Amino acid sequence: MNAPIPSRQSESSGFAKPRRIAVVGGGIAGLGAAWLLGREHSVTLFEAGSYAGGHANTVKITVDGITHPVDTGFLVFNRRTYPNLCGLFRELDVPVAESNMSFSASLSSRDIEWAGSGLGALFAQKSNLLRPAFWGMLRDLLRFNRDTTRLAREHSAPDLSLGAYLDANNYGAAFRDWYLLPMAAAIWSCPTEQMLAYPLTTFLRFCHNHGLLQIIDQPQWMTVRGGSREYVKRMLPGIADLRLASPVLSVRRDEKGVQVESRNGFEDFDAIVFACHSDQTLRILGDGATQAERAVLGAVKYQPNRAVLHTDAALLPRREKAWAAWNYLAGEGSPDQRPVSVSYLLNQLQPLPFKTPVVLSLNPFRDADPAKVLAEFEYDHPVFDQAAIDAQAYLPALQGQQQTWFAGAWTGYGFHEDGLKSGVEVAAMLGAVAPWRARSLDLQKVSL
């Protein structure tokens, strides 16, 4: 990032009186910002797609003669590391249920299959009992969890990539290829090769905060009962001007404010919040983007992912005992070159009435039986290499410049909580504090 970057954070205090604000993007970041800002300002939310919610995409399917909603993007959260999402859900009285976050790996090239949901699942493939490399994987797993927990607690992780750290500390190929890279690639929805380049510090901070480096005292994962559409439909009445299938074509900014071009022509606003992907923001700004905006927003890349909703159990581990909520699958090929291929067994993740396995496969390494395919979707996920992490550090300096603010899951770790947190923080800069945060501040004042 060689372009000049502002050296100070902009003064982005809230407006003294109600203003007209455009929000671009109807995912969780845009919904959160628009819902909060709409309490005090006139807000227009532009969404290019046909529905609001982004990755909160619930669809109805009919299986076993029963019609029921299932989620296809955002699936789970927990109360420990999703404070804003939990605050929002309490505010909206969103129904939730306990979920299961078990993990399995099924790799054709080495004929290795296991799951972490118990001893029976761990040794679902009986030959693992006689496989020295498998026992080596388990030893390395315990060592990695112990050592990296210490690094995370002491903030003493070396300035290395994940791959360089594994090499420097002599972790075995079995641990890397059969456990760590499949697990990480499944979480971040990116190829294993990209995970090797992931900054170690960021990787460990996320894993430590989410309880992924410990065997016991892991957070209880939850899901939205009835699908994530339940929280979206509770937010929409608070957004007076929602425009679906209305992509923003361009934005002009000057000392008077912001002009937004959509299918309705140009409209004047006092400010704009970009809550879409950073590359989409740059396309909308076009030649009007500043050098600093190009440097920061252009540093984040995205991984396109194909999601197939189906009932083909052949895209689960071969042994039913190894079926888990998250199932990493790989065909033939070098471990470092595999695209991410994960099958989410929705019957384990959500309370569903189906006996037939309902599966959401991300980038399936082979096609599902066409007769068993229910729907297909495309989702893009940010890639968190060192350039993206560096860009995040410069983002605060852009907020409020030319009455422009930026939000999105790309500003954090790429998850639902990150998207909402960014929308909440932008709304706070504009004077609209989330009610759950306001109550927390009031409690702190009382305790003082």
Side-chain angles (χ1 to χ4, degrees), residues 103-107 112-117 121-125 128 134 137-138 141 178-180 317 322 324:
F103 176 78
S104 79
S106 178
L107 313 178
I112 182 75
E113 198 164 75
W114 65 274
S117 50
L122 190 64
F123 295 102
Q125 183 176 3
N128 288 342
F134 190 81
M137 178 194 81
L138 298 179
L141 190 159
W178 300 352
Y179 168 72
L180 188 64

Side-chain angles (χ1 to χ4, degrees), residues 79-94:
R79 294 192 173 98
R80 184 187 304 176
T81 58
Y82 287 66
N84 288 287
L85 200 65
C86 289
L88 175 68
F89 286 0
R90 286 193 297 270
E91 198 71 21
L92 299 173
D93 194 26
V94 175

